[in-house]
Amino acid sequence: MRKVRGTGAVAAVGAVAFVLAGCSSANNTQASGESNAAKTFTTQELTDGKTEFTRVVNPNGGATLSFATGGSMKVIEVVDGDYTYAFKDMNANGTLDPFEDWRLDDSARAADLAPQLSKEQQAGLMLFSSHERAPGDGLTDKQKEYLSGSHLRAVLNAGTSDAKQNVQWVNEMQAYVETLTSAQTPYVPVNYSSDPRSDASKDKSFSEVGEISKWPSSLGLAATFSPSTVLEFAKAASAEYKALGIGTALSPQIDLATEPRWLRVSGTFGEDSTMAGDMAKAYVEGFQGTFSADGANQGWGSESVNAMIKHWPGDGVGESGRESHTNAGKYAVYPGDNAQEHLSVFKKALESAAVMTSYSAAVAADGSPEFAELKGTSYDSGKLDALRKDANYQGVVVTDWGVTKASTDADQPRIATGWGVADMTVDERHFEIIKNGTDMFGGNNDVAPVLAAYDMWQEKFEKGELEVDAATRWAQSAQRILTMGFANDGFDNPFLVLEDSQAVVGSQDKVEAGREAQLNSIVMLKNADNTVKFDAQADYSDKVVYIPQTADLGSPSLFGEAEYTYGPSVDVDVAKKFFKDVVTDEVTLDADGKISEYKVPDLSNVDMVLVGMHSPTSGNNFSKAGWDQENNTWYPLSLQYRPYTADGEHVRTQSISGDTLADGSKENRSYFGHTSRITNAADLDALLRAREAITASGKNIPLIAVIKANNPVIPAEFEEQSDAIFVGFGTADEALLRVALGLHKPAGRLPIQFPKDMDTVEANKEDVPKDVTPYTDSQGNTYDYGFGLGADNKPLK
């Protein structure tokens, strides 16, 4: 529970509401004398160039307030002992209500406000907007519509991290929702949220000062084996989020990565439950805490950002790695009866303000429900009971996006993940989700189904089918949601000072810390005959490097057709920061714009070969990977580049999961006898082509492979052809190159096993960690969980 901020109970003195224009300004207060300035609040008129707002600074460590200048918001003045404090009159009644009193506990304020809201406002709080991707567009008519008509207040910011664009959008929207306030409609600010935006997965160069700081992905943070690094990241990232107006982080993703083919392994903290749990706990502490100069966590405060752990109860067990965003992977399987280990990671982080549930339906080894129903998590009472009752979780529970829609719905929604409830109406789905203990609907902008569920609830209550009435149940969710708004200082101080935000986002200390974390996450797997010599002062400015070209076929997805891409396997501009010259292949394109021929350059002047590789790619979250929908057949996801035909002894001929068909039989999702579909096999071609060119040159040119990995890789296809191998998990190319060139000592370790072959992958149980046979290389090193070489070429401990 959050500590009470401020000075104690309200003194038994008169409270007066007044318009701030009639209050002493900051300059006037200062003019009246230093002692007076220390005893009463001061005000300041500010603008971001688009919206004007007023900031109020209370004395004696009291809360900072902000609201639109010239609007309807008034303040209430309270004399408490020697001090005069200001409070916002958020329901325009001229009286200081408990929910307006920043000296009280967040949950107490929420408990006071929730029942004052209309059912329409309460229902609006239960909505979580679809993705808003253009903060630079400012407040749009569509946004005004759902803010006013649906009373929606949770907005998902999926746009740029540009400070000015975000500050202006946030302030404009917060000023707008103030205009919707009345005595009948108490003020509720917008609570912005964001998916992770701080990882360097798609970056070539390090971020610069002024750009949001970039860190390794969660899997890269796991490769540091340092929960303290996660805490440092969380403190930096949450400060930048707050400066962008983001009060809730839709993270961390703490699914345990026990299935190596799963398409979302990169977002996890790896496959060790103890380490993942420790890192999840550190992440939540860093985002939700407010820290003193000496690093002590003072609990909830003005710097706090709500954390939302996901995806309860762990979604890393999709059968054969298929992903639950689409029908291809809607089932999670537990052949090892190991659900409790997945839950253990979440239980270490239940201080989080919110929990997001998974999509998938959970299936035991015998095909029966692992929890209560063979339905998606939001509809599985067993999964929600495990959270609400068994773990006694009292925070906000949020569905993942699109679970109230089904692929059979008439409007054919793009994201439709209502697994097992196609026969329900949309209103019934909302009702069922609320009945199971969930509070918010991800991706839903329309309040109508939530209000319909309210009426359904009340009708069932009056028939004696439910224990509490609709007003009580809706107020319960409203109170939980409002607590998040009070906890992140959203009610008192929602407006952003542009210059302050610009000073925080991409500040030098954060950018440098992110770079160092990226470097420390890089794993050196191989360094035969000391190919790479570690010297921070090494100079390659007189050297020439060859970087072969590669290509990726791309994958069709819910958002469009496959996009073919090609180019140098390592970013040339980044390489030019280190080398005198960079040479690459000449390519010939066919009529479709795809590479038909590679011509390797003359290597007579080349000093080094760098080959960039991504881990073998079967698709993405939205590509239905593993399922050929047109032919209704299944194919394997693979961790090797070359075609893999699944016909070994460990391949299931009968899937654990499957739909119940019209004739009552069970669908078989087995891919036995079918072949993988890897989109970036050209990465391996590039490495082998480079090795052949080195051999043909007659020179002893070192070949260094640098891998950007989202999943484990089977190194057998390229390890012996490589003199050195470095792996980055969600890092910029520049981080990989600096370590691969010996300019920074390797410090990372594998957060996931790298398997020997696909046979051992097929033998693994999706819910059991560390159960593949890891690869042993030509140097005698085994690429097991925790392996990584140090600068002395000895395994790190």
Side-chain angles (χ1 to χ4, degrees), residues 327-604:
N327 172 69
K330 67 182 179 182
Y331 292 108
V333 295
Y334 294 84
D337 193 25
N338 197 37
Q340 290 304 312
E341 185 168 7
H342 291 257
L343 290 173
S344 72
V345 180
F346 288 84
K347 290 178 179 178
K348 280 190 176 181
L350 286 179
E351 291 297 317
S352 63
V355 172
M356 184 187 294
T357 53
S358 68
Y359 284 132
S360 54
V363 187
D366 63 0
S368 64
E370 175 66 24
F371 290 87
E373 288 97 24
L374 284 178
K375 298 176 181 177
T377 298
S378 298
Y379 304 95
D380 186 339
S381 60
K383 287 185 180 180
L384 273 298
D385 283 351
L387 179 61
R388 287 296 195 197
K389 296 179 181 178
D390 299 347
N392 194 32
Y393 184 70
Q394 299 301 313
V396 175
V397 177
V398 185
T399 74
D400 208 335
W401 268 231
V403 303
T404 59
K405 301 173 183 177
S407 58
T408 54
D409 288 354
D411 59 352
Q412 289 295 302
R414 184 176 289 171
I415 303 293
T417 53
W419 307 131
V421 294
D423 57 338
M424 290 185 183
T425 67
V426 172
D427 295 348
E428 289 170 339
R429 294 170 195 160
H430 283 75
F431 169 83
E432 194 69 20
I433 288 172
I434 296 169
K435 183 167 70 72
N436 283 337
T438 297
D439 303 299
M440 299 184 76
F441 299 92
N444 290 20
N445 291 7
D446 183 9
V447 76
V450 186
L451 291 173
Y454 185 102
D455 293 339
M456 292 170 62
W457 188 289
Q458 187 61 24
E459 180 181 351
K460 290 180 181 294
F461 168 74
E462 292 173 359
K463 291 180 178 179
E465 297 176 17
L466 294 169
E467 294 181 359
V468 299
D469 63 6
T472 301
R473 177 63 187 89
W474 263 242
Q476 180 186 47
S477 282
Q479 181 177 336
R480 291 169 178 158
I481 297 162
L482 291 168
T483 299
M484 290 207 308
F486 287 112
N488 66 16
D489 211 30
F491 276 81
D492 296 320
N493 190 22
F495 287 79
L496 302 172
V497 179
L498 178 58
E499 295 76 12
D500 292 348
S501 292
Q502 290 173 325
V504 170
V505 176
S507 62
Q508 185 169 351
D509 60 325
K510 297 180 184 67
V511 168
E512 290 179 353
R515 291 176 178 177
E516 189 69 13
Q518 288 187 57
L519 292 167
N520 289 336
S521 73
I522 302 297
V523 182
M524 183 169 76
L525 292 180
K526 181 180 180 181
N527 190 22
D529 301 322
N530 291 303
T531 296
V532 178
K533 297 173 177 61
F534 293 93
D535 178 3
Q537 304 305 315
D539 184 2
Y540 293 85
S541 61
D542 62 342
K543 307 297 183 185
V544 177
V545 65
Y546 164 48
I547 298 173
Q549 297 243 359
T550 187
D552 193 313
L553 302 175
S555 300
S557 77
L558 301 177
F559 297 95
E561 296 302 315
E563 181 181 358
Y564 180 86
T565 57
Y566 68 92
S569 61
V570 176
D571 187 74
V572 169
D573 290 336
V574 172
K576 285 180 177 179
K577 293 182 180 182
F578 304 98
F579 291 94
K580 171 187 173 182
D581 194 15
V582 179
V583 297
T584 187
D585 304 317
E586 292 183 15
V587 299
T588 301
L589 303 181
D590 63 18
D592 296 323
K594 297 180 180 179
I595 297 176
S596 60
E597 183 181 1
Y598 297 88
K599 183 179 180 181
V600 178
D602 179 9
L603 300 189
S604 59

Side-chain angles (χ1 to χ4, degrees), residues 586-668:
E586 292 183 15
V587 299
T588 301
L589 303 181
D590 63 18
D592 296 323
K594 297 180 180 179
I595 297 176
S596 60
E597 183 181 1
Y598 297 88
K599 183 179 180 181
V600 178
D602 179 9
L603 300 189
S604 59
N605 294 320
V606 167
D607 301 288
M608 181 183 293
V609 174
L610 282 172
V611 182
M613 308 173 77
H614 286 80
S615 48
T617 303
S618 296
N620 57 54
N621 298 352
F622 307 102
S623 63
K624 304 179 183 179
W627 179 40
D628 183 331
Q629 184 176 7
E630 182 177 352
N631 298 305
N632 196 29
T633 57
W634 303 85
Y635 62 89
L637 308 185
S638 179
L639 302 181
Q640 67 182 42
Y641 296 96
R642 290 293 180 248
Y644 160 67
T645 298
D647 55 7
E649 63 176 313
H650 298 297
V651 180
R652 294 182 187 127
T653 56
Q654 175 65 53
S655 60
I656 294 174
S657 66
D659 295 345
T660 299
L661 303 178
D663 62 2
S665 64
K666 179 182 174 182
E667 173 192 33
N668 186 6

